[in-house]
Amino acid sequence: MNIMREEKLDSLFAALQLAEEDNLQQEIEGRIWEIWMESGNPQVNQIMKIGVEQMGQESYKQAINSFSKIIEAAPDYAEGWNKRATAYFLRGDFKASLKDIEETLAREKRHFGAISGRLSIQSLIGDNKGSLESLRKLHELLPHEEQLEKEIQKLEEKLGIRKI
């Protein structure tokens, strides 16, 4: 684990808690993504670039193969797992996607991209309790996202959960 990298992420996540303006939130989120995308290994970064291009071309099988190579080379690199989860999701393999999302979150528990992916799957399969849990986690990380609050309230009403 790179301590400077973790300190930068901690600082950015703390700033995200305080950022109330949309443009500042987006800037901070973008900086977090930049850190997540940087593996520290030029070869892994090159494979990541190729995999992202493959995903953009809807070549999901090839993208999954590329991200699998990243996972083999750098198993602690959360973004390798997250990108493969995304490729599985786009291919419609929700079970494999959820497995890789959990691997991502085991390495970076604040990965709002992975949590959003999990939320998408939970919503698609009708897992309202899981969706609510994911929404609450996202809201902890992104407290100024008003849409998250509305979605939480809607699901709580649907599930009959009362706030005290």
Side-chain angles (χ1 to χ4, degrees), residues 44-107:
V44 168
N45 290 344
Q46 183 59 33
I47 298 169
M48 175 64 77
K49 184 179 175 194
I50 292 166
V52 169
E53 288 172 6
Q54 291 166 329
M55 237 183 353
Q57 297 164 354
E58 298 182 13
S59 300
Y60 304 127
K61 185 176 182 183
Q62 290 88 343
I64 289 165
N65 288 335
S66 293
F67 299 133
S68 294
K69 288 177 188 173
I70 291 172
I71 291 166
E72 283 177 36
D76 291 332
Y77 176 46
E79 199 54 33
W81 292 97
N82 184 58
K83 287 293 188 273
R84 191 171 77 174
T86 302
Y88 277 132
F89 174 83
L90 293 170
R91 197 171 79 174
D93 189 343
F94 296 162
K95 186 175 181 182
S97 182
L98 283 171
K99 185 175 179 282
D100 280 0
I101 287 168
E102 295 311 313
E103 292 290 344
T104 304
L105 294 172
R107 288 156 181 79

Side-chain angles (χ1 to χ4, degrees), residues 8-160:
K8 284 181 191 174
L9 283 170
D10 290 345
S11 175
L12 288 168
F13 274 102
L16 196 53
Q17 292 292 308
L18 303 173
E20 294 186 23
E21 299 83 29
D22 285 347
N23 60 345
L24 182 57
Q25 292 168 28
Q26 290 172 358
E27 179 187 328
I28 294 168
E29 288 176 26
R31 289 171 60 196
I32 290 169
W33 276 108
E34 286 173 15
I35 292 171
W36 283 342
M37 288 295 290
E38 176 54 49
S39 72
N41 178 327
Q43 292 167 313
V44 168
N45 290 344
Q46 183 59 33
I47 298 169
M48 175 64 77
K49 184 179 175 194
I50 292 166
V52 169
E53 288 172 6
Q54 291 166 329
M55 237 183 353
Q57 297 164 354
E58 298 182 13
S59 300
Y60 304 127
K61 185 176 182 183
Q62 290 88 343
I64 289 165
N65 288 335
S66 293
F67 299 133
S68 294
K69 288 177 188 173
I70 291 172
I71 291 166
E72 283 177 36
D76 291 332
Y77 176 46
E79 199 54 33
W81 292 97
N82 184 58
K83 287 293 188 273
R84 191 171 77 174
T86 302
Y88 277 132
F89 174 83
L90 293 170
R91 197 171 79 174
D93 189 343
F94 296 162
K95 186 175 181 182
S97 182
L98 283 171
K99 185 175 179 282
D100 280 0
I101 287 168
E102 295 311 313
E103 292 290 344
T104 304
L105 294 172
R107 288 156 181 79
E108 174 51 79
K109 68 181 186 294
R110 304 170 293 192
H111 201 299
F112 46 78
I115 298 167
S116 292
R118 182 176 65 192
L119 173 61
S120 294
I121 294 170
Q122 290 164 326
S123 296
L124 285 168
I125 65 174
D127 178 2
N128 291 329
K129 288 182 180 178
S131 294
L132 182 58
E133 183 181 316
S134 292
L135 280 166
R136 287 177 173 162
K137 183 62 181 167
L138 276 176
H139 192 256
E140 283 176 32
L141 296 169
L142 310 168
H144 303 292
E145 291 281 337
E146 292 176 23
Q147 189 58 36
L148 293 175
E149 269 185 69
K150 292 175 186 172
E151 292 298 317
I152 289 169
Q153 289 174 350
K154 208 162 57 172
L155 257 182
E156 286 175 343
E157 286 174 23
K158 187 174 187 175
L159 292 169

